[in-house]
Amino acid sequence: MIMFRSIKTRLLLWLLSAFAVIMISLGLFLYNRLDTIVMEMVDQVLLGKADLIKGLVHSDHGEIEFEMYHVTIGDYSITASGHYFEVADTKGNSLVKSISLGEHTLNGSRYPKNIRYFMGTGPYQEPLRLFIEEFQVLGETYVIYVGEDIKKELALLKAFRIFLLTIFPVAILIVAIISMIVIQVSLSPLASFSRQIGLITEKRLHERVDSQGVDSELKYLASSFNETMNRLEKAFQAQRDFLSDASHELRTPTAVIKSTADVTLRRERSGVEYREALGTVKDAAERMGGLIDRLLKLSRLDAEQSEKKERVNLKNVLKTALKTITPLAEAQEIDMYTERAEDVTVEGDKDQLAELFLSLLDNSIKYNRPKGSVSLYLARFDNWAVIKVADTGIGITPEALGKIFDRFYREDTSRGEIPGTGLGLPIAKGIAESHGGRVEVESRVGEGSTFTVYLPLTTSS
Amino acid sequence: MRILIVEDEKALANNLKRGFSEEGYSVDVAYDGEEGGFMAETEPYDLIILDIMLPKVDGFTILKNIRKQGIKVPVLMLTAKDAVSNKIKGLDTGADDYVIKPFDFDELLARVRALLRRKGEVKSAVIGIDDLEIDTAGHQVKRGGKDIKLSAKQYALLEYLAYNKGKVITRIDISEHIYDYDFDLDSNIIDVYINLLRNKIDKGFENKLIHTVRGAGYILKE
């Protein structure tokens, strides 16, 4: 039913059906009224005539007499004129009848006696309206029949019916045409609006529809469309920046590999030199591999919510992460101590949460001072699992604090001195967010930084 | 020819140092912007290869500073940033060329040679003085159509004199442009190299090309 998916068609159908219902009701009502009025007029005539004829029945010296001659002239004297009367007694004996009836009678089984007004077929097959009434004269009961041919009246009603049936489709057609024009005109702002939207392509994402120039009904649509476009454009820009940053980060190890090969292949080398060159290539390739892994991880975190949902005991995860990182901490003589570790369970992906903890612990050691310390804290607070990792390291400048979760951002002082890809914290943030949580950071230069992770508790715990 | 490489990616910087050294250039390396900027401002390099993203001080700032001090050394920017806006910014700040990582080492060498030629009168890769021909791309030297075999240092010395043909070159110039940061100035060594070079270039030829300018230095001319 594709055509009903169009606003125009639906509007038109609604309008036409409403109009048809009104037209039919009006037509039926008018026809009914006319029918009643016409029949009332006929009945009025019949009643008048019946009264007149009844008045002609009178008693003379105890005998019932009919003085019919007054009315036997005129219409009643012409056979099959369409004007008839008859008076009978209750036994069904016809006492007197109009000449127009000829051989026929109204006083028969064809016509019931208990209905005042009756519609039937006359003696000459004409449509007949009949008035039937019992009346008494001097204690005797008689029945009077007065009939009128209503051929003309029925013709009038028929003409009116035909008129209604003719005017109905014409009116519908006129209304349909007018409606279509009105709909077209009133929907034209929508058409121009959609033309404006159609001009926006991925290359022209900065374009917006004019939310001021449109009709008030479309203003809301236009402004919410523009807001959506703003968000989309921002997301597009972020993706573009990410791609350009990623390619930039991949260029450096590629350049190392390429230049090592170029320089080494320029002349014959000793085995030691070849081994050295291959070692450099291997390191660079490993760095690239690690970078690509992290990029993929980030793009997966971007694309979907964490799908794996299992109950994860954060205390155990933290313990494992701590065990993994201990050799690194010992190498730099950094004291790792657990301030508090409650049994806290959240729902999520265990591997991802382990990586989140490892990433924060790794940072707290890498950016620490030699013989510094890292304190760990895991507890329940309201509906949150709270994990704090506090180091005694170099700290983060206030300018850098807002950027450390940006992809590939690395503080200038750390660039070249501390190895890293600039993706650890963005991944940590991505993992926390895919679990419905967040990461916060506080820092003082020279004193240290504290990273706090908030993860929503499972409803059952 | 003496080159400074400012590059924080150590493996890449070391590759470049090795490659350029093997081509007879004397090479100094700085791994961060602060050190690189200092070296660029205090040592008379013939060319600087400069990365943009550097720890401490970025490449654009280094370039701006050395140009502000009137140092006209050719600068080749070597960077992973491929945005056209970065290229334009680099060239507008005073860079002479812009190479994007990863690059082809032979192409980098050719671009460096082109920048070194641009400084003097020399326009093509082959420098000719009388019947002496020096092919700076292939490092081949011929005199009167005959090949002359030179060691890397001898070639570097000859090339430096050839790029500056017709100009007097002092012993200090030679020590600064042929040797790197760690060289201890001892003019005797330079005299020894000049004599070795004379033996190979001028010996047996009527027209001597390497001349001694008393109290000043040496000159290569017809």
Side-chain angles (χ1 to χ4, degrees), chain B residues 164-221:
Chain B
N164 296 289
K165 66 176 178 179
K167 283 185 206 149
V168 177
I169 304 300
T170 66
R171 288 187 181 80
I172 294 172
D173 283 337
I174 293 170
S175 72
E176 281 178 344
H177 289 275
I178 305 303
Y179 298 94
D180 60 25
Y181 210 61
D182 305 320
F183 178 73
D184 216 3
L185 177 66
D186 181 351
S187 55
N188 282 335
I189 291 180
I190 292 163
D191 290 340
V192 169
Y193 269 111
I194 290 285
N195 280 332
L196 284 171
L197 200 57
R198 268 194 174 130
N199 278 339
K200 294 200 174 173
I201 302 291
D202 285 341
K203 204 176 178 181
F205 288 93
E206 194 64 24
N207 190 10
K208 307 292 182 202
L209 297 177
I210 302 173
H211 307 271
T212 308
V213 181
R214 219 164 266 286
Y218 302 97
I219 186 167
L220 183 69
K221 64 173 186 185

Side-chain angles (χ1 to χ4, degrees), chain A residues 28-48:
Chain A
L28 286 174
F29 173 75
L30 283 180
Y31 182 78
N32 233 4
R33 276 306 295 157
L34 188 68
D35 184 62
T36 313
I37 288 168
V38 168
M39 287 308 155
E40 270 175 2
M41 275 166 62
V42 173
D43 291 346
Q44 214 63 54
V45 169
L46 285 172
L47 189 65

Side-chain angles (χ1 to χ4, degrees), chain A residues 45 63 81 129 160 176 237 379 439:
Chain A
V45 169
E63 287 274 315
S81 67
R129 181 78 173 170
F160 185 62
Q237 191 54 48
V439 183

Side-chain angles (χ1 to χ4, degrees), chain B residues 47-196:
Chain B
L47 185 126
I48 297 174
I49 294 176
L50 190 59
D51 189 11
I52 292 179
M53 295 273 281
L54 287 165
K56 294 175 187 169
V57 181
D58 71 84
F60 288 130
T61 311
I62 294 175
L63 184 56
K64 219 178 281 169
N65 287 342
I66 60 176
R67 289 293 185 242
K68 214 189 279 169
Q69 295 190 17
I71 300 170
K72 293 197 177 94
V73 55
V75 172
L76 185 148
M77 298 211 105
L78 184 63
T79 175
K81 294 206 162 191
D82 68 339
V84 175
S85 60
N86 268 305
K87 217 175 213 173
I88 291 169
K89 190 179 171 190
L91 293 174
D92 278 350
T93 313
D96 298 274
D97 204 351
Y98 198 102
V99 173
I100 291 161
K101 296 176 192 171
F103 51 86
D104 190 88
F105 187 70
D106 284 330
E107 188 194 332
L108 184 67
L109 275 175
R111 283 177 183 270
V112 164
R113 282 197 299 272
L115 287 178
L116 289 173
R117 282 203 299 274
R118 207 187 289 172
K119 210 170 61 156
E121 318 256 301
V122 184
K123 290 285 171 246
S124 84
V126 178
I127 308 170
I129 300 128
D130 197 22
D131 54 351
L132 176 70
E133 272 181 26
I134 304 163
D135 177 2
T136 55
H139 286 196
Q140 274 163 2
V141 181
K142 282 181 185 171
R143 181 136 194 212
K146 261 178 70 184
D147 279 335
I148 297 171
K149 293 264 175 284
L150 292 177
S151 76
K153 264 286 173 282
Q154 287 164 1
Y155 172 79
L157 180 59
L158 178 62
E159 192 192 74
Y160 181 65
L161 289 170
Y163 273 125
N164 296 289
K165 66 176 178 179
K167 283 185 206 149
V168 177
I169 304 300
T170 66
R171 288 187 181 80
I172 294 172
D173 283 337
I174 293 170
S175 72
E176 281 178 344
H177 289 275
I178 305 303
Y179 298 94
D180 60 25
Y181 210 61
D182 305 320
F183 178 73
D184 216 3
L185 177 66
D186 181 351
S187 55
N188 282 335
I189 291 180
I190 292 163
D191 290 340
V192 169
Y193 269 111
I194 290 285
N195 280 332
L196 284 171

Side-chain angles (χ1 to χ4, degrees), chain A residues 247-249 251-252 254-256 258-260 262-264 266-267 269 273 276 280 287 412-413 415-417, chain B residues 8-12 15 18-19 22-23 53-57 80-82 100-106 109:
Chain A
S247 69
H248 169 238
E249 293 295 323
R251 275 169 201 279
T252 305
T254 312
V256 171
K258 175 93 170 87
S259 65
T260 306
D262 279 352
V263 171
T264 308
R266 284 178 72 80
R267 57 183 68 181
R269 306 276 177 191
E273 281 177 310
E276 210 176 88
T280 308
R287 237 176 70 197
D412 229 19
T413 47
R415 214 166 250 281
E417 284 163 30
Chain B
D8 64 327
E9 179 59 44
K10 289 200 172 88
L12 185 58
N15 280 339
R18 172 182 230 164
E22 284 174 356
E23 281 296 304
M53 295 273 281
L54 287 165
K56 294 175 187 169
V57 181
K81 294 206 162 191
D82 68 339
I100 291 161
K101 296 176 192 171
F103 51 86
D104 190 88
F105 187 70
D106 284 330
L109 275 175

Side-chain angles (χ1 to χ4, degrees), chain A residues 218-233:
Chain A
L218 286 178
K219 249 182 202 139
Y220 179 72
L221 181 63
S223 64
S224 56
F225 175 80
N226 282 345
E227 272 165 37
T228 308
M229 285 306 296
N230 285 342
R231 282 198 297 274
L232 266 179
E233 195 189 1

